[in-house]
Every structure is written in structure tokens, then in C-alpha cells.
Amino acid sequence: MYSMTNPTPLPQAGSGARIRVLRGGKPAARGGSSPAVDSDERTRDRVLNAVLEHGPVSAAELGDLLGFTPAAVRRHLDHLSREGVIEVKRVARAGAGAGRPARRYVLSSQGQSTLGDDYLNIASSALTQLEEIAGAEAVRAFAAQRFADMERRYAPEVEQAGSDITARAQALSAALSRDGFVSSTASIEAKAPLPAALSSVQLCQGHCPIQQLARQFPVFCDVETEMFSRLVGVDVRRLSTLARGGHVCTTHIPTGRPAATGPNAPRAGQDTLHEESNHLQERPL
């Protein structure tokens, strides 16, 4: 089984840093292994990181990203699949008719759990007791306090992006990646006869350092979504979450109007803030 050292924060996409994989719970021994084994392990780590950052992703796309032949990348994908850290997700092709769904690779639940914090079990027990003693609102207050710190750190960067919603979403994505959420954005342009005001950005998070907690206490996802809404300045909608079985966390951010800031900014708990568990709508393909 794979496990990761220093699971949070993960490297920011494009930083050149990579997750260091452990073998059997111990650091891979480079000194006593053969150069061929070392090379395979390093390559496999690169493939795993690429699946984490870009999944759902096809073998051909991975080959292009990493500069590998199709045969080489499939060999490493097969190995990682046998280890249980990645899995195949079948995705309907764009404009598909009767064609076979495309095979795309994502991190499995086991792979996601290896990226979690060793103290999550302790945190889960503590929050369970907090809920039993003080009620669900006490857990929400705890979650709000955690995300309030993130919001204070992210706000200056997002504000520096100006009033353009897409730029604000990209600034938020960069901040999330720095904190280990492996985030990215994709613009979704409305096509005629739909008005341009229906265009949007999808904010995707490939990793959640507190996925186990969020599965047990969905309020963490709710409070995070409220934070996103306040930061970007528009009401947002959560389309999928890792905690609820999605392969990525995806947030729909409308871009048809400028950001509302100050007293007009969206507030936590507004009725216009929605969350949907629609696992077919994840990372844009």
C-alpha cells in the first residue's frame, strides 16, 4: 500500500515539487536498490502525481503530459491500479453516440486516504464527542473557525485580482493549491442561444486534506462553500465533493456579473447558496 510523507500541504501545481511515495510504510531505500528499480519508482511517482493533479485523465493524455510512450504509461498505470491507489472512471465522450465510454484515471478512495493527516482519527473522535456534548452547532462553529483563518489569508490575494470573477476564482485556486487542495479552474462559456451572462468558471479541488472528517461531518463542505462565495463575491454552487463520493470537489461559479464586495457581498447561510451532489459533473473534460 502506498502512503505519503508530509501529506499536507501538497505541492502547488506546476511548482516542480512532487509527492514522495513510501514503500510499505517506510521511505523507499535508494541506496540498496538497482538503478532500474529506482527509475521505475520515480516514474511511477510522477504518474501518480499527474493523475492526482489532472484526473480524470486518459493514458494518452498522461503520456503527452509526461513525455512517455503509451506502453510505458499503461505499465505504470496498471501497477498503480493493482496497488489500489488509482482506479478507472468511464466517461462518455463529448457528443457521444454509441461509442464506448473513454477510460480515464482518478485517485481511488484508498489513494485519497493515503494523502490524509495521521491525526484525522483523533479529530473525528473529538468532534463526535463535541457534537454529543454541545450539539451540531458547536461542530459548525468549529468548522467556521477553521475556514475563517483560511479566508483571512486568502482575501488579500483574491481582492488583488479585482472585480473580474474569473480572475478572483483563479486567485482563490492558487491559494487553495498552496494549502494542498490541488486546485484548478476551467472557464465554461455559454453558447448561443444562451446569453453570455450564463458563462461560469468551475473550481476543481483534486485533494481534500480533511476528506474523512468532511464525510462524517458534511458541515465542513457547507462552510467551505460559503467561504468561496464570500471570497469571489457571487453565490456559488457545489456540484460534487470528494467526501460524497465524487472524484474531485467541483464548485460552479457564475461569471456574468462583477463581484459584490463589502456589505453587498454574499453572506454565510444565504438562501441563494446551494449544494448539489451530482457526481457526473466534476472536473470539466
Side-chain angles (χ1 to χ4, degrees):
M1 178 186 295
Y2 283 82
S3 59
M4 306 289 184
T5 59
N6 191 23
T8 54
L10 294 178
Q12 183 174 348
S15 65
R18 287 293 180 266
I19 300 168
R20 181 164 169 256
V21 179
L22 304 186
R23 312 296 174 185
K26 298 179 180 180
R30 301 298 187 190
S33 57
S34 69
V37 171
D38 282 352
S39 177
D40 270 356
E41 290 181 352
R42 286 193 296 269
T43 301
R44 206 162 290 136
D45 292 351
R46 290 183 62 199
V47 172
L48 180 60
N49 275 279
V51 172
L52 169 63
E53 184 173 348
H54 300 283
V57 61
S58 69
E61 290 166 341
L62 286 169
D64 291 340
L65 285 166
L66 300 173
F68 297 155
T69 65
V73 76
R74 289 186 187 280
R75 178 168 65 88
H76 292 298
L77 288 170
D78 288 345
H79 182 97
L80 292 168
S81 295
R82 289 194 299 271
E83 292 286 341
V85 293
I86 67 171
E87 63 187 17
V88 174
K89 177 185 179 184
R90 295 195 176 273
V91 178
R93 302 175 189 274
R100 179 180 298 179
R103 290 169 56 92
R104 293 181 180 271
Y105 293 87
V106 296
L107 227 61
S108 67
S109 296
Q110 176 183 321
Q112 286 284 346
S113 67
T114 63
L115 301 176
D117 195 306
D118 291 340
Y119 295 97
L120 282 178
N121 288 332
I122 299 173
S124 175
S125 298
L127 286 173
T128 299
Q129 289 192 24
L130 176 64
E131 186 175 45
E132 291 173 354
I133 294 170
E137 282 305 309
V139 178
R140 169 175 273 276
F142 178 88
Q145 183 178 16
R146 177 185 187 273
F147 285 107
D149 175 67
M150 293 174 64
E151 187 170 353
R152 281 191 295 271
R153 290 188 290 108
Y154 295 174
E157 298 178 51
V158 177
E159 288 301 320
Q160 193 173 15
S163 61
D164 180 74
I165 298 296
T166 299
R168 293 173 75 90
Q170 291 170 344
L172 173 58
S173 176
L176 287 166
S177 285
R178 197 168 55 247
D179 274 355
F181 291 89
V182 193
S183 183
S184 62
T185 60
S187 294
I188 311 298
E189 301 297 332
K191 297 180 180 179
L194 297 175
L198 294 181
S199 295
S200 64
V201 166
Q202 287 194 4
L203 174 70
C204 297
Q205 297 157 260
H207 173 58
C208 175
I210 59 167
Q211 181 181 343
Q212 179 181 325
L213 285 180
R215 184 180 296 117
Q216 186 178 356
F217 300 98
V219 68
F220 279 89
C221 297
D222 298 339
V223 174
E224 181 187 59
T225 306
E226 293 165 4
M227 176 189 72
F228 289 172
S229 184
R230 290 191 298 272
L231 285 170
V232 299
V234 294
D235 297 324
V236 306
R237 177 175 295 179
R238 185 59 64 86
L239 299 181
S240 68
T241 63
L242 287 158
R244 294 187 179 183
H247 294 295
V248 292
C249 296
T250 303
T251 304
H252 171 88
I253 303 174
T255 59
R257 62 181 187 272
T261 57
N264 296 321
R267 300 184 303 276
Q270 278 189 319
D271 291 339
T272 50
L273 189 66
H274 304 287
E275 177 168 341
E276 294 182 356
S277 182
N278 182 351
H279 300 150
L280 298 179
Q281 298 185 35
E282 295 177 346
R283 193 192 300 271
L285 301 176

